[in-house]
């Protein structure tokens, strides 16, 4: 927290040490809440409408009213960016159902707890982008509503820790013989010149970076599809990537101790990463939203 100057909590901007939440908050007691992570490039909030749309969907699905309109969310985030000094940042936002006596049922008419902060964005080391990372496969032990960006992330944390224990950076999750996503990422595979990723649905989080990769691929004539990816296709892939708002597009070059393709980042990754960097440059210059 040393590099976070102020946080936003329930309408106030405070030093982190002064931000306090009740021990009876349902976010603490039940994990009853949702979150978002929004990158900031060149001092500008990246694809804010898409992030706010996902936030709104998550809140609706857990039967909560969005506590702020879009313009107010933007004002809060821009103030946090200003306080932090701009540049390359990441906004973390969390909304919980609020404070109530412990009872599983949703209490009516609670005031939500709204918490947000901006912190310096940590990019993957250059060597990970150049050489790729290792991943493992693991059974998808999570619940059946992974499309909700819920704060109850214990299964994800267990899976990511399992990967780290085995010397890998990510776990690619398998359910009923098919790939879903990573413990903290969406996953793409390249097979026979086609870029594939599982379709949206309750078993994956609709990633904002995932959607942008597909937009760029389609706009530049890269064959791509949102379709079910079997474990067999994953293991035979020529390339595998993970995507997220903070990791961007990161190649996976070893899977369960074996090389993916020739064990090096592939040509399609290089092309999409270049397109993504061009888009970011244009975004920072104000040429695209």
């Amino acid at each position: 927290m040393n590099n976070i100057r102020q946080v936003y909590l329930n309408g106030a901007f405070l030093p982190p040490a002064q931000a306090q939440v009740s021990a009876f908050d349902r976010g603490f007691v039940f994990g009853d809440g949702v979150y978002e992570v929004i990158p900031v490039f060149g001092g500008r909030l990246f694809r804010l409408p898409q992030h706010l749309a996902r936030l709104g969907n998550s809140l609706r699905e857990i039967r909560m009213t969005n506590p702020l309109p879009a313009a107010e969310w933007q004002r809060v985030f821009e103030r946090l960016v200003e306080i932090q000094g701009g540049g390359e940042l990441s906004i973390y936002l969390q909304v919980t159902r609020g404070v109530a006596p412990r009872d599983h049922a949703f209490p009516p008419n609670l005031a939500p707890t709204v918490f947000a902060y901006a912190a310096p964005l940590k990019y993957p080391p250059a060597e990970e982008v150049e050489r790729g990372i290792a991943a493992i496969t693991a059974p998808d032990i999570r619940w059946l509503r992974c499309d909700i960006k819920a704060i109850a992330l214990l299964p994800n944390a267990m899976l990511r820790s399992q990967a780290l224990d085995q010397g890998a950076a990510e776990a690619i999750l398998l359910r009923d013989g098919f790939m879903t996503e990573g413990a903290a990422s969406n996953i793409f595979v390249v097979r026979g010149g086609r870029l594939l990723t599982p379709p949206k649905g309750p078993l994956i989080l609709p990633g904002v970076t995932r959607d942008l990769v597909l937009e760029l691929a389609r706009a530049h004539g890269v064959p791509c599809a949102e379709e079910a990816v079997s474990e067999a296709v994953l293991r035979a892939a020529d390339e595998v990537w993970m995507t997220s708002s903070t990791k961007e597009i990161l190649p996976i070059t070893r899977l369960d101790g074996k090389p993916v393709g020739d064990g090096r980042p592939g040509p399609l990754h290089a092309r999409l990463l270049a397109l993504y960097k061009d888009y970011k440059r244009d975004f920072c210059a104000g040429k695209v939203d």
Side-chain angles (χ1 to χ4, degrees):
M1 297 190 304
N2 292 338
N3 54 10
I4 300 172
R5 297 176 183 174
Q6 288 191 354
V7 304
Y8 175 88
L9 180 63
N10 296 335
F13 293 90
L14 305 166
Q18 295 181 20
Q20 299 182 7
V21 177
S22 169
F24 291 95
D25 191 282
R26 286 179 62 91
F28 177 73
V29 176
F30 289 113
D32 185 359
V34 301
Y35 76 104
E36 271 294 324
V37 178
I38 305 166
V40 177
F41 301 136
R44 299 185 65 205
L45 297 158
F46 190 64
R47 294 179 78 90
L48 179 61
Q50 290 87 342
H51 283 281
L52 290 181
R54 186 170 65 180
L55 172 67
N57 181 73
S58 293
L59 288 167
R60 282 191 300 273
E61 292 300 316
I62 67 166
R63 295 165 53 185
M64 279 190 67
T65 300
N66 198 324
L68 296 175
E72 184 64 12
W73 281 124
Q74 182 169 346
R75 186 194 71 80
V76 170
F77 299 153
E78 288 178 345
R79 178 59 180 149
L80 289 170
V81 170
E82 180 184 9
I83 290 169
Q84 201 64 30
E88 309 292 290
L89 303 170
S90 178
I91 299 281
Y92 178 83
L93 160 68
Q94 178 170 301
V95 181
T96 76
R97 202 173 301 273
V99 179
R102 189 181 187 278
D103 184 355
H104 284 70
F106 295 153
N109 306 317
L110 290 187
T113 300
V114 181
F115 172 65
Y117 64 87
L121 185 60
K122 294 181 179 179
Y123 287 108
E127 64 183 28
E128 290 188 354
V129 180
E130 295 168 1
R131 300 178 185 177
I133 61 168
I136 63 167
T137 56
D140 193 343
I141 60 173
R142 305 168 305 161
W143 70 327
L144 300 179
R145 290 305 310 273
C146 298
D147 54 317
I148 299 172
K149 200 168 175 67
I151 63 173
L153 290 172
L154 181 57
N156 302 69
M158 292 170 63
L159 290 159
R160 180 84 192 288
S161 295
Q162 180 182 340
L164 294 176
D165 289 346
Q166 297 182 38
E170 180 62 302
I172 297 178
L173 310 183
L174 302 172
R175 191 189 294 263
D176 299 326
F178 289 88
M179 179 181 82
T180 52
E181 57 186 348
S185 63
N186 292 113
I187 303 295
F188 286 82
V189 304
V190 178
R191 181 66 175 160
R194 296 177 71 227
L195 180 62
L196 306 174
T197 196
K200 292 181 181 179
L203 298 182
I204 74 163
L205 184 72
V208 173
T209 303
R210 168 197 180 276
D211 289 352
L212 177 56
V213 168
L214 289 170
E215 288 177 26
L216 293 172
R218 290 164 178 151
H220 292 85
V222 175
C224 62
E226 297 175 79
E227 64 183 42
V229 176
S230 70
E231 181 179 353
V233 169
L234 168 64
R235 296 195 184 280
D238 302 311
E239 301 180 34
V240 180
W241 320 336
M242 61 175 282
T243 63
S244 73
S245 290
T246 54
K247 299 295 186 182
E248 303 189 313
I249 311 172
L250 196 57
I252 294 171
T253 51
R254 294 192 66 79
L255 183 63
D256 290 333
K258 298 179 180 179
V260 175
D262 64 4
R264 296 176 295 179
L268 202 53
H269 172 265
R271 183 177 180 192
L272 264 296
L273 183 60
L275 291 171
Y276 178 85
K277 288 181 176 179
D278 288 345
Y279 186 94
K280 273 182 63 177
R281 184 193 62 237
D282 290 344
F283 174 81
C284 292
K287 297 179 181 179
V288 296
D289 295 325

